[in-house]
Amino acid sequence: MDEAFSAGGSMRRREFNTLLGGAFAAWPFAVRAQQSERVRRIAVLNGTAPTGQSPAAYAAFLRRLGVLGWTDGRNVRIEERWANSDPELMRNYGTELASHSPDVFLVQSNPALAALRPLAGNTPIVFVQVADPVGSGFVASLARPGSNITGFTNFEPSMGSKWLEMLKQIAPNVDHATAILHRETPAHAAFWREAEAAAPKVGVNLVAAGVHDSAEVERAITAVAAQPNGGLNVYPHTVKEVHLRLIIELAGKYRLPAVYPFRYHAEAGGLLSYGVDALDLVPRAADYVDRILRGANPGELPVQAPTKFELVINLKTAKTLGLTVPPTLLAQADEVIE
């Protein structure tokens, strides 16, 4: 017989029973403490539709949250809404999500952030894919955003000149171009200033076309196509997402070289895209969400700039337009679609 249960081991048996009894007594309290741990709430407002890279980027965000210890349905509850580039839906979904008293918001796009900001109160907001957050009035500075908002910007103002330079590189004969933009968006005004300053240097007469609907999109593109050697720069905005198919179709119809800001624009038939890698940018927001849920002050978390840009060229579209892509530009491409 084991010594612990022999007559000589009675003292150790009593010690064992006491220890065992204490463990059973403590067990319900530990379980109750675990069960009573507050489940945090994350509210996600996506300004666009679940198309292109957006679903994959959001999935990568969730995976990163899991790595950081947050699992939907266990210690966090995540509610997401996709506004399909509709300003009214952004406001409605923002109101709905705010009514659930989340611990933190994740919001994507300038219009969605503009819609959510007055609805969120003091609830922390982490943004992604927002251009020129200082010029747009969302944060006081990149280093110290202040208030309850911080996040990850996608395009700085200098991209306005970069997109124009890209257009001239892939289509050297272009001598006049139109920037398809949204005049009411402060970031677009910043892009435009940079592009307007660069236009004489690259030999392009550049005009701005503010658009809000399909009719204005069609008028703007028809106007630039009225003379030969025209081109397009399409600035990032939810309005452009709604009418992306129309823009690409009209650019093809009128044989206009066009430069777009996101990879999936080139994948959808656009000539060239140059912009941030959403699959790299969006998951980084999970780190800020994690830090805020653990007590960090969003106003003291610096706004971060993108670290990875990607150039995608649709060679099939180039051939349709009769363009020969320069070897130097092909060498720079992260992907060539044939």
Side-chain angles (χ1 to χ4, degrees):
M1 182 179 294
D2 191 301
E3 185 182 10
F5 292 94
S6 66
S10 59
M11 181 62 72
R12 270 171 291 176
R13 182 170 62 248
R14 286 194 299 272
E15 292 170 353
F16 173 79
N17 288 337
T18 300
L19 179 63
L20 187 62
F24 274 107
W27 178 75
F29 293 100
V31 171
R32 285 197 296 271
Q34 185 178 22
Q35 290 175 339
S36 65
E37 181 183 353
R38 185 167 70 89
V39 175
R40 305 301 185 91
R41 288 177 175 267
I42 302 173
V44 182
L45 179 59
N46 290 283
T48 57
T51 56
Q53 282 186 295
S54 295
Y58 179 60
F61 166 80
L62 295 180
R63 286 195 298 272
R64 179 60 183 163
L65 272 183
V67 170
L68 295 168
W70 302 100
T71 303
D72 192 13
R74 183 175 63 83
N75 59 356
V76 69
R77 181 175 178 182
I78 303 173
E79 295 184 76
E80 80 277 2
R81 300 290 186 273
W82 298 84
N84 299 317
S85 302
D86 184 331
E88 185 175 356
L89 273 182
M90 292 176 201
R91 289 189 294 271
N92 292 343
Y93 284 153
T95 301
E96 178 188 353
L97 291 170
S99 71
H100 297 164
S101 301
D103 294 282
V104 60
F105 285 101
L106 175 72
V107 60
Q108 177 263 339
S109 86
N110 285 60
L113 179 55
L116 178 65
R117 186 185 183 190
L119 303 171
N122 294 323
T123 302
I125 298 174
V126 176
F127 62 75
V128 291
Q129 294 187 315
V130 166
D132 192 18
V134 176
S136 299
F138 296 135
V139 297
S141 71
L142 299 182
R144 294 187 65 83
S147 187
N148 61 319
I149 302 176
T150 187
F152 298 78
T153 185
N154 54 1
F155 298 121
E156 61 181 22
S158 64
M159 290 297 292
S161 59
K162 185 66 175 179
W163 288 320
L164 184 61
E165 291 165 5
M166 287 283 183
L167 177 63
K168 190 67 174 181
Q169 279 186 266
I170 199 166
N173 290 335
V174 166
D175 58 20
H176 67 102
T178 293
I180 304 293
L181 51 80
H182 189 256
R183 294 186 187 278
E184 295 81 359
T185 298
H188 283 205
F191 296 150
W192 171 252
R193 287 193 297 270
E194 294 287 332
E196 190 178 31
K201 301 173 186 176
V202 296
V204 174
N205 179 29
L206 185 66
V207 298
V211 301
H212 304 84
D213 54 36
S214 59
E216 290 181 341
V217 167
E218 189 156 3
R219 280 198 296 271
I221 296 178
T222 302
V224 71
Q227 297 179 358
N229 300 324
L232 297 171
N233 274 168
V234 182
Y235 290 0
H237 195 273
T238 54
V239 170
K240 315 308 177 306
E241 299 306 312
V242 170
H243 303 295
L244 178 63
R245 175 50 56 190
L246 175 63
I247 293 171
I248 291 174
E249 287 178 353
L250 290 174
K253 174 182 177 180
Y254 293 114
R255 300 176 65 81
L256 292 171
V259 171
Y260 303 83
F262 296 116
R263 165 188 285 269
Y264 63 90
H265 297 160
E267 293 173 341
L271 173 62
L272 179 152
S273 68
Y274 182 71
V276 299
D277 182 354
L279 296 180
D280 173 70
L281 183 68
V282 176
R284 293 166 57 197
D287 292 80
Y288 269 15
V289 169
D290 170 67
R291 292 174 65 176
I292 290 169
L293 290 177
R294 298 184 191 278
N297 180 351
E300 297 178 357
L301 298 176
V303 174
Q304 296 192 33
T307 58
K308 184 178 179 183
F309 288 80
E310 54 185 0
L311 170 63
V312 180
I313 299 172
N314 191 318
L315 206 56
K316 181 179 179 180
T317 299
K319 292 176 180 177
T320 300
L321 296 175
L323 295 173
T324 300
V325 182
T328 53
L329 192 58
L330 282 174
Q332 298 174 44
D334 296 277
E335 183 179 347
V336 176
I337 300 172
E338 300 191 56

